[in-house]
Amino acid sequence: MASIEDKLRSAGIVLPEGSSPAANYTNCVLVNGLLFVSGKGPSGNPRGKLGADYSTEEGYGFARSAGIEVLAAVREAVGSLDAVKRVVKAQGFVNATPDFAEHHKVLNGFSDLMTEIFDERGKHARSVFGANSLRDQLPVIVDSIFEVRAGS
C-alpha cells in the first residue's frame, strides 16, 4: 500500500511548511485521537468575494488550496499524514455576495482533495456557510477535524 506521501507525489502535490497562526492560537489541538485544525485559507492570500471577484470554479481551486494548507498543518502536528485514520469533519466559510448560491460547489475543492489523498478515509461530514466577510478578505476558509492514530 502506497504511503500518503507517495500519493501526494503521484498527484504532483507539494505541501508547504505549515503556516504560522496569525494571533493567539495554535494550528492544531489533539484531544482523544481527534486533531482539530484551525481555519486555513488558500495559499497566496487571494482577496475577494465569490460571485463578484471570483467564479465558482476559482472558488473550488481556492478550497483545494486551503486543503493543501490544512494537510501541511496536519503533517506538522503529527509527523506524517500516514497517521491519519479518517477525515472526520470540514466546515467551509465562503466570502460571497448575497446572491451567490454555489457554496457547496466551492467546498467540493476541499472534499475532492481529501478523497483523492485518503480514499474512503477522506470522506467526511461537512458544513458550508456563506459569509459577508472573512479575515483578510480571503475568499474561502476551511477548518477541519481529523482522527489520528495514537502516539501521533
Side-chain angles (χ1 to χ4, degrees), residues 19-152:
S19 62
S20 297
N24 190 19
Y25 62 91
T26 185
N27 275 332
C28 300
V29 173
L30 181 61
V31 177
N32 297 326
L34 294 178
L35 186 69
F36 295 79
V37 183
S38 294
K40 296 292 179 188
S43 62
N45 293 316
R47 292 170 172 24
K49 288 187 178 291
L50 278 288
D53 305 305
Y54 299 113
S55 68
T56 300
E57 294 75 22
E58 289 169 308
Y60 177 99
F62 293 141
R64 182 178 175 87
S65 178
I68 290 170
E69 295 291 329
V70 165
L71 292 177
V74 170
R75 182 172 67 182
E76 186 174 278
V78 299
S80 169
L81 292 177
D82 291 313
V84 172
K85 290 172 71 174
R86 172 157 203 124
V87 182
V88 176
K89 172 83 176 182
Q91 287 191 134
F93 301 88
V94 179
N95 188 359
T97 59
D99 61 335
F100 186 77
E102 296 189 320
H103 306 79
H104 60 292
K105 292 180 181 178
V106 169
L107 197 56
N108 284 344
F110 177 89
S111 297
D112 290 349
L113 175 66
M114 294 301 118
T115 56
E116 177 184 344
I117 300 305
F118 296 108
D119 300 317
E120 286 298 308
R121 296 179 297 143
K123 291 196 176 184
H124 51 275
R126 77 176 201 186
S127 303
V128 61
F129 306 95
N132 187 43
S133 67
L134 294 175
R135 71 171 169 83
D136 299 327
Q137 289 301 310
L138 290 171
V140 176
I141 293 176
V142 180
D143 71 353
S144 50
I145 304 169
F146 290 75
E147 181 184 14
V148 297
R149 286 186 177 70
S152 300

